[in-house]
Structure formats: C-alpha cells, structure tokens
Amino acid sequence: MRKVFFGATIVMVTLIASCASRKDSLNEIGNQSIDRVRIIASQNADFIRKNGDKELSGRSVQYVKDTMKDPDSALVRNVKVVDFEGGKVVCGEVNAKNSYGAYVGYSAFAASPKGAEFYQKDTSRFPSAIFEAQWNLGIIKVCSF
C-alpha cells in the first residue's frame, strides 16, 4: 500500500511541476509577443517625430499590404493609431487573396512602416486556444481585437 501511495505521490508531483512549467512557458510566449509589439512602437516613435501620425498610418498600412501574396487585393479596415509605452502602434485588420485567388478572412495586425505583427490563428500550429491567445497577446493587449 505504501508503494502505491508513494508512486501516486510521485505522479502527482510530476503533474503539478509540469503544469507550473507549462504556465511559465505560456507566460514567456505572451511576454515575447508583447516585446514584438514594443519594438514596433519604438520604431514608430522615431518615425512620428519626423513625419507625423497621418504619414505613420498610411505607410504602415502600405507595409502590411506589401507583405500579402496579392497586395492589390488587400482590404484593410478598422485602422487606428494606438499609444503604447511611449510610442504608437498602427492597428487594423487585413484580408487578402491567397495563392488560389480566394480571400482568407480578416486578420488583426500591429504595424510600423518597417514591420508588422499579424494575429496567428493556425489551429494546426497551436495546441489550444490558451496557447493561441498567449502567442498573440501583444496584438490583443494593444489593439483590443
């Protein structure tokens, strides 16, 4: 009986430790997502000083369109400039055609004229909705999508 109890205790401790480890990993993924958006905000802070908000929005949207497979098909909506940690981030949603010529659906983005972070919703890549939310935490937090 003691061996069974001892074995069950070891299994429980291992499970609890793996849950804590998974939670730490998810937090780290969320922190990395926020860091990626911080980089965009810092890039934009420099750009705004030289060019202003309106130019920031236009060039950021153009960057997003240029990253699509078919830039001419890109539809952008809900574009806004959001303050974030001393900088600004251009948030919005983009929909463009894929290689088959079909629109894939709107996806949120956080952008600068030099880079963009896109909301990733590839279910084959993410084992759970919690993981997907952590991977995209920067966009979710800043853009409120």
Side-chain angles (χ1 to χ4, degrees):
M1 182 72 170
R2 284 184 178 198
K3 288 181 182 180
V4 172
F5 179 75
F6 182 72
T9 303
I10 290 175
V11 170
M12 292 287 287
V13 168
T14 303
L15 287 173
I16 291 169
S18 69
C19 288
S21 174
R22 181 173 180 210
K23 185 177 179 183
D24 290 343
S25 296
L26 286 172
N27 287 337
E28 182 61 28
I29 289 166
N31 291 337
Q32 289 172 2
S33 177
I34 292 169
D35 287 343
R36 291 190 303 267
V37 176
R38 276 190 186 113
I39 291 167
I40 289 170
S42 68
Q43 289 171 344
N44 288 343
D46 294 336
F47 186 89
I48 289 170
R49 281 192 283 276
K50 296 174 185 170
N51 302 291
D53 280 8
K54 191 171 184 174
E55 187 72 14
L56 170 71
S57 182
R59 289 218 194 148
S60 298
V61 167
Q62 189 59 52
Y63 180 89
V64 167
K65 286 181 175 184
D66 290 345
T67 63
M68 300 293 118
K69 276 196 183 291
D70 182 359
D72 295 332
S73 74
L75 305 171
V76 178
R77 69 180 186 191
N78 299 327
V79 176
K80 59 187 175 183
V81 178
V82 179
D83 292 325
F84 182 64
E85 295 188 2
K88 295 190 178 193
V89 176
V90 177
C91 295
E93 296 174 291
V94 62
N95 189 5
K97 291 182 180 179
N98 62 15
S99 300
Y100 299 107
Y103 280 96
V104 296
Y106 280 93
S107 180
F109 66 82
S112 78
K114 296 179 181 179
E117 182 74 16
F118 295 92
Y119 189 97
Q120 303 292 316
K121 51 186 168 190
D122 179 1
T123 55
S124 65
R125 182 176 176 190
F126 301 136
S128 70
I130 294 169
F131 186 89
E132 179 181 326
Q134 287 300 104
W135 185 268
N136 296 297
L137 187 60
I139 292 173
I140 293 167
K141 182 177 178 182
V142 176
C143 299
S144 302
F145 287 115

